[in-house]
Every structure is written in C-alpha cells, then in structure tokens.
C-alpha cells in the first residue's frame, strides 16, 4: 500500500508525458480501480486538450449464504477470525467467494466514489460509469465514447472548461450524498490544483453539511455498487441533487450538454430502494466531516456514514506504524474506549500514506467498532467503516502534534463541534516537540525518495509540486 498513492502521481505523469510526446488532439483515458481515476483526471487537466474518462466498471458482488460480499467482508472476516468469532473455514469461504470476476471493488469505495465524481463533475459521460465491468452494455458505451470524443475535439471542449469551481462543488456534493470514500478529499484537492481552481479542505465540510446522505451503499450501508446501476445509475443521484438544489445545473459536461440537461434525462427504476427520495434521506447531512484542533491544526477527515455516536474521548494507544497496530488489535490488546493512533504513515512519513484497511477491518471484525476509534496521518480504504479519522495534518514526519502524543494521553473528538484535540497543555506539547527528532527517510533512492522530497501535506491533496499562488 505504500505504492498506491504514489502511483497516482506516476500514472498522471505517464499520461501527460505520452500525450505531450505524441501531441494528441484528444484523449480517451481508460481507468479501472482506485488511483487510475484521479490520475487520469489530473493529467487531462494539466494537458487541457479535449478528453474524457471511461471507467471499466464495478465488479459484481460475491454470493455467500444468501448475502452479497465485497472485499470489505474479507478484511473484516480476518479480524473476526483473529478474535475467535468465526472459524478458519468460514474465513476461507468468505475469501473464496468475495471477488467473482473482473472489476473494481464493489461498494462505494474509492474507485466507485471517483467514478461517481467523474460523471458528476462532467469528465465522464452521464450513464457510463455505473455499468458493471462484465455487463455487455459496456461495449456499447465504449463505442459511444468515440463519438463523444470526436464531438469534444470538434467543439474544442477542454477539461478546464468543464472542471470549474462550481463543478468541483457538484462533485463534492456527490461524495457527500453517496457516502463516498475519504480519499475523494485528497483526489479532488489534487485535481483542483491541476485545474487552477481554488479549493480548500474546509470546502468539503461546508458542502457536506448542506447535502443530505441519500445513497444506501457499503461500506456502511446495505447495497453494493451494481445496485446503483439497477436503480437507474449515477444520473439518478444527479437528479436528486438537481431536485434538491444542491448543485449548479449550468456546468458543462464532456457531451457538450449541461449538468441540468443530462440529469433531467435520468430514468429511475420504479420501486428502487438504493437511492433514497429527498423526503427520506438516510441522514440530513453528508458523509464527510473535516475536524480541526490541537491534534490536527491543518485538518483531518472522518466519514460519518453508519456512525451514531457524536464523538469519542479516551486514552491514546500510540503506534508508529500500521503493523504495530495490527498486532495489537489481532492480539487482543485493544480495549473498549481506546483511541488507536497510527502515526508516521503520512504522505512523507510512510511514505505514500498507506490505507489502514487491515487494521480498521480487524477492529470491526473483533466487535470493537462501536467502542474504539482510530486516528492516523495515513489514509483509509473506501471500504473502511467505523469511527476512523484519517489524513491528520501536519503529519508526524513533518513535526505535527501527532508526533508528540504519548501512550495514555487523552484525545477528544467532537463531531458536532468538528474538533479533535489532545487534552495535554500546549506548553507540554511544545516541550515534547523540542526533544523530537525527525525520523530518517525510509528510502534514500528511487521513486519513494523522489516522492518524499516533493510531496505536500494531505491538507493540500498530497500533490508532488508546489501549488500555484493563491490555489
């Protein structure tokens, strides 16, 4: 997982380099899982030649004992097995059935979140992203992509014409409404910097607070990604946002039509239960909360889908890497009320800002998700659920306050106030930091060394270049 976020930069650079070398007039960027999607968008925005993004599509759900499975179930089963709650045979059976074929992970995890974003922001044609990978309709969409691309080239419709500030706000609203991945915060900040659009981490809080949670998807919800397609696709989500007044309908899409024109053509399946009506949202506010405080002066991210408690206060259980925390969870050393802190896993410290899905899945599987919180300067998978706070900035490797935490320090997280604080006097934290020594880089040569030398804070999208002045 150290390579995952780094790959976003490498993929974006590779697309840019190829396109500049061949001087393409237009680009159809084929994307699949996770970082390929934002990377393609970043490259298109850098190049600013007509282009569109075509998503391979979600995997179909696995089937086991009458229920749908995704990769999320495997990680949580590992924790359940370690806690003695399921047998080795049950764990193997879940693993064997979870991924039945081709496609990106099957919930509203990072890939499907970003696929939703690309359709809502206008870089993917409406109706293209929610069709599953193995569905025969995908062939027809690929044929149509050629027509859409030639139309964009003919009209000289460029990515920065599409990805305006209003379009980014629309995209954030779609993440909030669909219970999407916290990784969308990193990726949209990175895309905005490529587009020259002013966007700050606080904007996610503002937009999420005014947008209801409407889509009942895993990891916290009931349904899998292909159920969105069955319900009528992402255009139905767009229509809900349109009808509720949560989006700017005048934004252009890659088809040349406006958001409003595209969304108004949505065809909702009668009786579907995946995308809730505006009159009966799952929650009145969206799935993302940006917290700030003495532990995270630059901010951090909490996904609140499926969380009922309004905060948590408890002793910090401090670990300097993911593996240490994993051993503690699977070894039964974490107790109800603990706040697990994993540091030195940020963009620079990790390096690469690993996803903590193994640990978060183990916490859920061990039956601790209702009583334990996790705080990290690393990231989470879109499949993560529970009281999990990520992207703490500044990160530990850059001397952020999380580096000063000691075992047993009380951490207080208040969702209503959007705060995360250390209950240790500021002068004590300052004294500890005077004794702090920055860790040596874990890599001194190669791609990870380059990344560490150039990567920005998670609060700026973990990009590998200096943001433009004022952006």
């Amino acid at each position: 997982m150290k390579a995952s976020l780094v790959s976003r930069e490498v993929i974006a650079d590779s697309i840019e380099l190829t396109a500049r070398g061949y001087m393409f007039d237009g680009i159809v960027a084929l994307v699949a899982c996770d970082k390929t999607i934002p990377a393609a968008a970043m490259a298109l925005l850098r190049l600013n030649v007509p282009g569109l993004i075509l998503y391979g599509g979600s995997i179909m759900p696995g089937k086991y004992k009458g229920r749908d499975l995704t990769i999320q179930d495997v990680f949580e089963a590992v924790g359940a097995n370690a806690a003695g709650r399921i047998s080795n045979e049950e764990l193997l059976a879940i693993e064997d059935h979870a991924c039945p074929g081709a496609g990106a992970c099957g919930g509203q995890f990072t890939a499907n979140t970003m696929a939703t974003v690309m359709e809502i922001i206008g870089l993917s044609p409406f109706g293209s992203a929610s069709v599953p990978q193995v569905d025969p309709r995908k062939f027809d969409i690929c044929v149509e992509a050629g027509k859409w691309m030639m139309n964009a080239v003919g009209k000289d419709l460029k990515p920065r014409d599409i990805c305006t500030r209003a379009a980014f706000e629309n995209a954030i609203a779609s993440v909030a409404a669909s219970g999407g991945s916290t990784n969308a915060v990193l990726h949209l900040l990175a895309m905005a910097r490529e587009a020259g659009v002013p966007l700050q981490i606080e904007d996610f809080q503002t937009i999420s607070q005014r947008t209801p949670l409407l889509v009942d998807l895993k990891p916290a919800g009931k349904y899998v990604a292909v159920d969105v397609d069955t319900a009528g696709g992402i255009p139905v989500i767009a229509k809900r946002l349109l009808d509720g007044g949560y989006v700017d309908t005048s934004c252009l899409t890659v088809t040349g039509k406006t958001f409003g024109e595209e969304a108004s053509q949505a065809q909702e399946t009668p009786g579907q239960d995946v995308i809730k009506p505006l009159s009966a949202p799952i929650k009145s506010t969206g799935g993302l909360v940006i917290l700030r405080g003495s532990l995270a002066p630059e901010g951090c991210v909490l996904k609140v889908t499926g969380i009922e408690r309004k905060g948590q206060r408890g002793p910090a259980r401090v670990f300097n890497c993911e593996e240490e925390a994993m051993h503690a969870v699977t070894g039964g050393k974490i107790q109800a009320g603990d706040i697990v802190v994993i540091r030195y896993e940020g963009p620079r410290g990790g390096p690469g800002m690993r996803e903590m899905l193994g640990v978060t899945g183990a916490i859920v599987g061990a039956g601790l998700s209702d009583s334990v919180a996790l705080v990290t300067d690393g990231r989470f998978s879109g499949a993560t659920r529970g009281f999990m706070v990520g992207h703490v900035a500044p990160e530990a490797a850059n001397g952020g306050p999380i580096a000063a935490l000691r075992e047993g320090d009380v951490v207080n997280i208040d969702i209503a106030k959007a705060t995360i604080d250390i209950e240790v006097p500021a002068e004590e934290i300052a004294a500890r930091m005077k004794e702090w020594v920055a860790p040596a880089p874990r890599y001194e040569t190669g791609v990870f060394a380059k990344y560490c030398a150039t990567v920005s804070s998670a609060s700026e999208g973990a990009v590998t270049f200096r943001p433009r002045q004022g952006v």
Side-chain angles (χ1 to χ4, degrees):
M1 286 307 302
K2 290 179 182 292
S4 178
L5 188 60
V6 179
S7 78
R8 186 190 71 182
E9 310 306 302
V10 174
I11 294 163
D13 290 350
S14 297
I15 294 173
E16 179 194 3
L17 184 62
T18 302
R20 293 199 191 281
Y22 283 95
M23 301 178 67
F24 292 139
D25 296 313
I27 301 168
V28 176
L30 304 177
V31 298
C33 189
D34 213 1
K35 306 305 173 286
T36 61
I37 307 175
M42 291 164 66
L44 291 181
L45 288 163
R46 280 183 204 172
L47 294 160
N48 203 33
V49 299
L52 64 82
I53 291 173
L54 190 60
Y55 176 47
S58 175
I59 193 173
M60 300 299 290
K63 301 289 184 182
Y64 180 66
K65 290 186 176 180
R67 65 188 178 105
D68 288 343
L69 295 182
T70 69
I71 193 67
Q72 170 190 350
D73 295 280
V74 178
F75 281 91
E76 293 180 4
V78 170
N81 176 258
R85 301 174 71 200
I86 65 172
S87 66
N88 291 342
E89 291 75 20
E90 182 79 357
L91 171 60
L92 180 61
I94 292 170
E95 183 182 64
D96 286 346
H97 288 84
C99 297
C105 297
Q108 194 67 344
F109 310 152
T110 303
N112 285 308
T113 297
M114 293 311 297
T116 302
V117 161
M118 294 310 157
E119 206 165 298
I120 298 297
I121 207 169
L123 288 178
S124 290
F126 266 57
S128 66
S130 52
V131 176
Q133 169 75 42
V134 297
D135 193 299
R137 290 175 295 155
K138 187 64 76 173
F139 178 85
D140 298 328
I141 287 170
C142 291
V143 171
E144 289 298 310
K147 300 176 183 177
W148 292 321
M149 188 67 260
M150 294 306 295
N151 179 64
V153 170
K155 293 183 176 180
D156 197 29
L157 180 56
K158 297 175 181 176
R160 291 185 205 167
D161 300 328
I162 295 167
C163 293
T164 61
R165 166 70 192 209
F168 275 98
E169 292 192 5
N170 289 355
I172 295 170
S174 76
V175 177
S178 65
S181 169
T182 51
N183 284 307
V185 177
L186 286 175
H187 299 329
L188 282 165
L189 286 170
M191 287 169 56
R193 279 155 178 75
E194 300 289 3
V197 170
L199 190 71
Q200 307 298 328
I201 194 170
E202 289 83 3
D203 294 320
F204 291 82
Q205 175 75 1
T206 301
I207 295 166
S208 187
Q209 284 296 298
R210 72 190 187 207
T211 309
L213 176 61
L214 296 168
V215 192
D216 191 7
L217 289 173
K218 290 179 180 290
K222 178 180 179 182
Y223 296 101
V224 296
V226 299
D227 293 321
V228 171
D229 179 59
T230 304
I234 294 168
V236 178
I237 300 174
K239 184 66 160 54
R240 289 285 194 278
L241 295 171
L242 181 155
D243 290 342
Y246 302 114
V247 287
D248 186 325
T249 61
S250 67
C251 294
L252 279 176
T253 73
V254 73
T255 65
K257 297 179 181 179
T258 66
F259 181 101
E261 290 170 329
E262 292 283 13
S264 64
Q265 296 175 12
Q267 297 183 3
E268 183 173 347
T269 303
Q272 66 85 18
D273 186 49
V274 184
I275 305 165
K276 304 300 183 185
L278 290 169
S279 59
I282 299 167
K283 286 188 174 184
S284 60
T285 56
L288 298 177
V289 173
I290 305 299
L291 306 169
R292 281 185 182 268
S294 58
L295 184 56
E298 292 180 8
C300 55
V301 183
L302 169 66
K303 186 160 75 170
V304 295
T305 54
I307 295 176
E308 298 304 326
R309 62 193 195 270
K310 303 302 181 184
Q312 183 150 339
R313 179 179 178 274
R317 303 296 310 281
V318 181
F319 305 96
N320 288 333
C321 67
E322 180 184 15
E323 289 82 0
E324 289 180 4
M326 188 68 174
H327 288 314
V329 175
T330 57
K333 297 179 181 179
I334 302 301
Q335 307 298 319
D338 285 346
I339 295 181
V340 176
V341 177
I342 307 176
R343 64 190 179 190
Y344 296 106
E345 292 286 11
R348 183 164 170 258
M353 207 178 180
R354 284 193 285 184
E355 295 178 357
M356 303 292 128
L357 182 56
V359 180
T360 61
I363 288 171
V364 172
L368 294 170
S369 62
D370 291 333
S371 59
V372 168
L374 187 148
V375 177
T376 181
D377 54 8
R379 296 182 297 127
F380 298 122
S381 164
T384 292
R385 64 186 175 113
F387 204 109
M388 313 295 178
V389 180
H391 308 192
V392 169
E395 62 174 290
N398 285 340
I402 191 172
L405 265 184
R406 292 180 180 173
E407 186 81 5
D409 286 346
V410 174
V411 174
N412 190 0
I413 306 165
D414 190 317
I415 294 176
K417 295 180 180 178
T419 56
I420 181 166
D421 291 303
I422 315 168
E423 293 188 1
V424 175
E427 55 270 24
E428 170 63 17
I429 295 295
R432 293 180 188 179
M433 289 309 298
K434 285 183 179 179
E435 300 175 358
W436 176 77
V437 177
R442 290 177 174 170
Y443 298 85
E444 295 184 353
T445 61
V447 66
F448 285 132
K450 292 178 185 177
Y451 186 81
C452 291
T454 57
V455 70
S456 72
S457 170
S459 64
E460 297 176 342
V463 293
T464 53
F465 63 93
R466 186 176 299 278
R468 296 187 180 111
Q469 189 68 31
V471 176

